[in-house]
Amino acid sequence: MRTLLLKKDEVRRLVSKTDVIGAVEEAYKAYSSGQVEQPPYLGIHLPSRRGEIDFKLGYYSVNEIISMKAHSGGFKNNPAEHGVPNSMGTILLFDARSCALICIMDGSLITGIRTGAAGAVSVKALARKNAKTIASIGTGNQARMQIRAINEIMKIEKIHAWDSTPETGCKYKADIERELGIPVIVASSKKEAVEQADILVTTTRGTGSLVEADWVKPGTHIVAIGTDQRGKQELDPELFRNAKIIVDSFSQCTEKGETWHPLNKNIIAKDDIHGEIGEVLLGSKPGRESDDEITIFDSTGMAIQDNTTASKIYQNAIANNVGTFFQFFEE
Amino acid sequence: MRTLLLKKDEVRRLVSKTDVIGAVEEAYKAYSSGQVEQPPYLGIHLPSRRGEIDFKLGYYSVNEIISMKAHSGGFKNNPAEHGVPNSMGTILLFDARSCALICIMDGSLITGIRTGAAGAVSVKALARKNAKTIASIGTGNQARMQIRAINEIMKIEKIHAWDSTPETGCKYKADIERELGIPVIVASSKKEAVEQADILVTTTRGTGSLVEADWVKPGTHIVAIGTDQRGKQELDPELFRNAKIIVDSFSQCTEKGETWHPLNKNIIAKDDIHGEIGEVLLGSKPGRESDDEITIFDSTGMAIQDNTTASKIYQNAIANNVGTFFQFFEE
C-alpha cells in the first residue's frame, strides 16, 4: 500500500484559491444535503501557557474520503524554545472503501486558507452585488486570508481596518497594499471602520461584543469568523434581531458560534435562523432578497471543509506527480 | 522539523512482548492516577457491508506525548477487492510541549498486541498463583495474542479451546502447539472448556451470553476481551453477582463493557465494582484475596494503552536507528 506524503511547500504550490473556494462550496452543499458524517471535534486540554490542539474528523460519502485533521495553534514559545512554528497541522486521508491511508499532508496552511474561502463563499452568496468597501475588524493572519479569498470573487475598492494593536493594523496596511494593491485605511475607531462597510469581516478571537448594532448600515454583509467556541464573541447580539442569519452548521453555530449569544439572551429563537449556507448554495433557501438587508454569516469551521480542500490538493498532487510515496507495509 | 516514519515490519521488529506488558501496566496506573486525558473515541458509520474505523486520542502528562490512533477492521473484501488487509492502523505521536508531529507509525499490529498484553497484566495481578489451565472461548487472532502474552508471565500447562467454527479451533490448535508448544484440546462444548479453566479468556465479539455462570469453578480468573461496545456480550450477567469485578476504565466498562449487562439487569450496582486494574496495580485496591474468588477483568481498551505502547516503540526506534525521517517542513 502506498501513502502519498506532501510537505508544506508542496501543499502551498498545489493549492489554488479558486480550487479552495470551489471545495468549500462543495463542502457546504454536501453538509446541508446529508452527505457528510462529522462527529464533534476532539480537543486536548494542555497545561496553561501552551496552546490548543484539536482533531477534526469528516467522512464525505460522495468522494469516499475520510479526513482527520490535527491542528495546533497558540504555542507562542515554539519558535524560541522548540524551533517549530506556533501553529502546525497534519491531515490524513483514508479511502473510505477500504480505510487505506492514501495521503498524509502537512495541514498547517489549510485551516487558514479554507476559512478564508468560507468568507468569500458567503460574500458570493449573500453580499450586495455592488459591494465595494470592506471593514476588517482584526488584522492578523486570518484577516489577510479573508481579503485574499474575497479578492478572488469581487473587486474590492478599499478596506477600512481596525486592530486593538495599532501597529498590527499598520503592518496589515503595508502588506495588503503591497500584495494586492487595495488601499487600506487604518481606522482610529471600530465605529469609523464599521460605518463605511458594505462587507464587515471580523476575525479577532474576541471575547466580548466589539461591533455595536447601530454602527452597521443597512445592506451590510457580515462575515463572522472569530467565534468558534464558547467564551468567544465579536458582535453585539442585538445585531441579530433584524438580520438574516446564515450559519455554516446549525448545530455548531447554535452551540458555540456567534449565534449562540443572541440565542442565549433570547434576542432570537432558533427559528429565526434563516438557514445554512449550504441550503442557500443549493437553492433550497433564498439568499439576499433586498439591498437593505443585513446578512450575517456565522462561520464556526467544519471538518468537511478540510476534507474537500485536502482531497482537491491530493488530486492535484497525483495529477502533477508532486509528493513522495511511502509504503507503510508491503501487502 | 523531522518526523520519524515507521513501517509495519519495523514496528514488528521493535515491539517486544515484555515491553508491551510493561507499557500497558504503566498505562493502567497512569489512567487511575489522573495523569491521562482521553476523550471518548470517535467512530465513523460507513455503509453496511464495510467494516469499522475509529479514532482514539490520548494525552499522557508524564511522557508528554499525545497519541492519535486510527484503526480499521472488518473489511472482509479488502484483500480481494483493494489489495490491502482487512484491518489497518496508523498512529501519530505529537510532542505535547510544542505539538510537533514526531512520529507516524503503522498501527496495524499495536491494537492486537496491547490488547493481548492487557489480559496478561490482569492475569499477573488477579489469577491464582497456581493457575495452569486456560480455557479460550474464541480462537481467532486476539485469542492467539492473549496466549502469547500470558505465556510471557506464567507457565501454561494446557489450553481448552472452543470456537463456534470447529475448523477455526483446529487451526488454532495447530498454530499454538507449533508456535508455543502448549497442548491444546479442542472442546466439543463451551461448558467442557470452561469447567476446566483456572483462567478463562473470551475473545469472541459475541452478541449474547456465551458462558453460563454455573460452569465457572471457584477461583477462576476471567479475562473478558470481546465486549467494547453496546450490543456485544460474552458472559452470563449472573456471573457478576458474586465475582470480584475489575475494569480497565470505570466509565467505559459501565457504559459499554461486559459490566454494562449485569448493571443493566440490576444484578449488580456500580458500587459492586471492585475497582480499576490501575488501582490494583498501584496497590490502592487489593487484588485477589482468596483462592476461591472468581475475578473478572473487563477490558474495553483505552487510548492510553496505545500511547504508552507506541511511545515505547518510538523510543526503541530512536535508540536503534530504525525508521525513515521525513521533513514535512523546513523551519
Side-chain angles (χ1 to χ4, degrees):
Chain A
M1 188 197 67
R2 298 196 313 164
T3 301
L4 185 67
L5 309 179
L6 291 174
K7 301 179 184 197
K8 191 176 188 175
D9 275 344
E10 291 166 337
V11 169
R12 199 190 316 265
R13 275 195 285 142
L14 290 164
V15 75
S16 92
K17 291 190 204 80
T18 330
D19 278 354
V20 178
I21 291 171
V24 170
E25 279 179 341
E26 185 182 359
Y28 288 147
K29 287 193 269 189
Y31 180 74
S32 297
S33 309
Q35 294 168 326
V36 168
E37 189 178 336
Q38 196 177 262
Y41 67 79
L42 296 181
I44 290 281
H45 299 94
L46 293 169
S48 62
R49 307 195 53 233
R50 294 189 202 168
E52 307 166 351
I53 184 166
D54 61 42
F55 295 78
K56 286 197 168 80
L57 186 62
Y59 166 49
Y60 180 21
S61 62
V62 174
N63 71 4
E64 288 289 9
I65 297 281
I66 297 167
S67 62
M68 195 294 302
K69 182 181 77 172
H71 192 77
S72 61
F75 287 77
K76 289 179 189 167
N77 302 327
N78 266 2
E81 288 178 15
H82 303 286
V84 291
N86 60 26
S87 172
M88 293 180 278
T90 304
I91 297 182
L92 308 183
L93 298 181
F94 299 88
D95 181 334
R97 292 164 298 190
S98 62
C99 282
L101 177 65
I102 55 173
C103 184
I104 306 171
M105 71 176 73
D106 187 84
S108 307
L109 303 170
I110 289 178
T111 306
I113 292 173
R114 61 89 160 148
T115 306
V121 168
S122 83
V123 167
K124 254 174 92 174
L126 297 164
R128 296 195 324 272
K129 295 305 158 211
N130 61 350
K132 290 173 193 162
T133 303
I134 294 184
S136 183
I137 301 296
T139 58
N141 183 52
Q142 183 50 228
R144 290 163 168 78
M145 292 292 181
Q146 289 293 323
I147 296 299
R148 286 183 191 126
I150 295 170
N151 189 50
E152 293 291 308
I153 54 112
M154 68 173 266
K155 167 122 188 63
I156 305 171
E157 211 159 78
K158 59 176 182 290
I159 300 168
H160 295 266
W162 178 88
D163 201 284
S164 55
T165 316
E167 205 174 306
T168 313
C170 295
K171 177 91 171 54
Y172 169 90
K173 173 182 166 73
D175 290 348
I176 292 290
E177 291 186 343
R178 184 177 352 96
E179 182 186 332
L180 301 173
I182 304 167
V184 176
I185 298 104
V186 179
S188 52
S189 73
K190 289 172 291 188
K191 181 168 186 279
E192 198 182 295
V194 170
E195 283 175 344
Q196 313 289 328
D198 299 323
I199 296 166
L200 166 62
V201 180
T202 61
T203 56
T204 63
R205 301 184 166 229
T207 55
S209 166
L210 293 170
V211 175
E212 289 183 27
D214 57 10
W215 300 347
V216 178
K217 70 180 184 195
T220 303
H221 173 58
I222 302 176
V223 181
I225 295 292
T227 302
D228 59 354
Q229 49 181 258
R230 286 280 173 90
K232 294 184 180 175
Q233 184 181 9
E234 300 188 296
L235 302 178
D236 179 355
E238 279 296 332
L239 252 172
F240 285 74
R241 194 182 293 277
N242 298 307
K244 179 175 270 182
I245 307 155
I246 293 97
V247 295
D248 58 359
S249 152
F250 190 89
S251 60
Q252 288 189 184
C253 290
T254 56
E255 278 301 308
K256 55 187 180 179
E258 197 65 46
T259 306
W260 178 80
H261 293 284
L263 284 168
N264 184 48
K265 289 202 141 69
N266 293 313
I267 293 169
I268 58 165
K270 285 187 179 178
D271 281 351
D272 296 321
I273 297 169
H274 179 67
E276 289 176 339
I277 187 142
E279 297 175 291
V280 174
L281 296 172
L282 288 162
S284 61
K285 293 265 172 80
R288 171 174 291 274
E289 290 165 288
S290 88
D291 277 357
D292 288 340
E293 277 183 325
I294 291 175
T295 49
I296 301 177
F297 173 55
D298 184 5
S299 162
T300 50
M302 300 199 290
I304 188 63
Q305 293 169 259
D306 303 316
N307 182 310
T308 53
T309 304
S311 297
K312 183 67 191 167
I313 291 167
Y314 170 71
Q315 286 163 14
N316 289 351
I318 295 291
N320 295 287
N321 283 311
V322 177
T324 309
F325 278 105
F326 189 81
Q327 270 203 301
F328 280 98
F329 51 84
E330 301 296 323
E331 297 100 308
Chain B
M1 190 198 67
R2 298 197 313 166
T3 301
L4 184 67
L5 309 178
L6 290 174
K7 301 179 182 197
K8 190 177 189 174
D9 275 345
E10 291 166 336
V11 170
R12 200 190 316 266
R13 277 193 285 140
L14 289 165
V15 75
S16 93
K17 290 188 203 83
T18 330
D19 278 353
V20 178
I21 291 171
V24 170
E25 280 179 339
E26 185 183 357
Y28 288 148
K29 287 193 270 188
Y31 180 73
S32 298
S33 310
Q35 295 168 326
V36 168
E37 189 177 336
Q38 196 176 262
Y41 68 79
L42 296 181
I44 291 281
H45 299 95
L46 293 169
S48 63
R49 308 194 54 231
R50 295 189 202 168
E52 306 166 354
I53 184 166
D54 61 43
F55 296 77
K56 286 198 169 78
L57 186 61
Y59 166 49
Y60 181 20
S61 62
V62 174
N63 70 6
E64 287 290 8
I65 297 281
I66 296 166
S67 63
M68 196 293 302
K69 181 180 78 174
H71 192 78
S72 61
F75 287 77
K76 290 182 187 164
N77 302 329
N78 266 3
E81 288 178 15
H82 302 286
V84 292
N86 60 27
S87 172
M88 292 179 279
T90 305
I91 297 182
L92 309 184
L93 298 181
F94 300 88
D95 181 333
R97 292 164 298 190
S98 62
C99 282
L101 177 64
I102 55 174
C103 183
I104 306 172
M105 71 176 72
D106 186 84
S108 308
L109 303 170
I110 288 178
T111 306
I113 292 174
R114 61 87 161 151
T115 306
V121 168
S122 83
V123 167
K124 253 174 93 175
L126 296 164
R128 295 197 322 274
K129 294 307 158 208
N130 60 351
K132 291 171 191 162
T133 303
I134 293 184
S136 182
I137 301 295
T139 58
N141 183 52
Q142 183 49 228
R144 289 164 168 77
M145 291 293 181
Q146 289 293 324
I147 295 299
R148 287 182 191 126
I150 295 171
N151 189 50
E152 293 290 307
I153 54 112
M154 66 173 269
K155 165 118 191 66
I156 305 171
E157 210 160 76
K158 58 177 183 290
I159 300 168
H160 295 267
W162 178 87
D163 202 284
S164 55
T165 316
E167 206 175 306
T168 312
C170 295
K171 178 91 171 55
Y172 170 88
K173 174 183 165 71
D175 290 349
I176 292 290
E177 291 187 342
R178 184 178 351 96
E179 182 186 332
L180 301 174
I182 303 167
V184 175
I185 298 105
V186 179
S188 52
S189 74
K190 289 173 290 188
K191 181 167 186 280
E192 197 181 295
V194 171
E195 282 175 343
Q196 312 290 327
D198 299 322
I199 296 166
L200 167 62
V201 180
T202 61
T203 56
T204 61
R205 300 184 167 228
T207 55
S209 167
L210 293 170
V211 175
E212 289 184 26
D214 57 10
W215 300 346
V216 177
K217 71 180 182 195
T220 303
H221 173 59
I222 302 176
V223 181
I225 295 292
T227 303
D228 60 354
Q229 49 181 259
R230 286 281 173 88
K232 293 184 181 175
Q233 184 181 8
E234 299 189 296
L235 302 178
D236 180 354
E238 280 296 333
L239 252 172
F240 285 74
R241 193 182 292 277
N242 298 307
K244 180 175 270 179
I245 306 155
I246 293 96
V247 295
D248 59 359
S249 153
F250 190 90
S251 60
Q252 287 190 185
C253 291
T254 55
E255 277 301 309
K256 55 189 179 178
E258 196 66 45
T259 306
W260 178 80
H261 294 284
L263 284 168
N264 183 47
K265 288 204 142 71
N266 293 313
I267 292 168
I268 58 165
K270 285 187 179 176
D271 281 350
D272 296 322
I273 297 169
H274 179 68
E276 289 176 341
I277 188 141
E279 296 175 292
V280 174
L281 296 172
L282 288 162
S284 61
K285 292 267 173 79
R288 171 175 291 275
E289 289 165 289
S290 88
D291 277 359
D292 288 341
E293 277 183 325
I294 291 174
T295 48
I296 301 177
F297 173 55
D298 184 6
S299 163
T300 50
M302 300 198 290
I304 187 64
Q305 294 170 257
D306 303 317
N307 183 310
T308 55
T309 303
S311 296
K312 182 68 191 163
I313 291 167
Y314 171 70
Q315 285 164 13
N316 290 349
I318 295 290
N320 295 288
N321 284 311
V322 176
T324 309
F325 277 104
F326 189 81
Q327 271 203 300
F328 279 98
F329 51 84
E330 300 296 323
E331 300 98 307

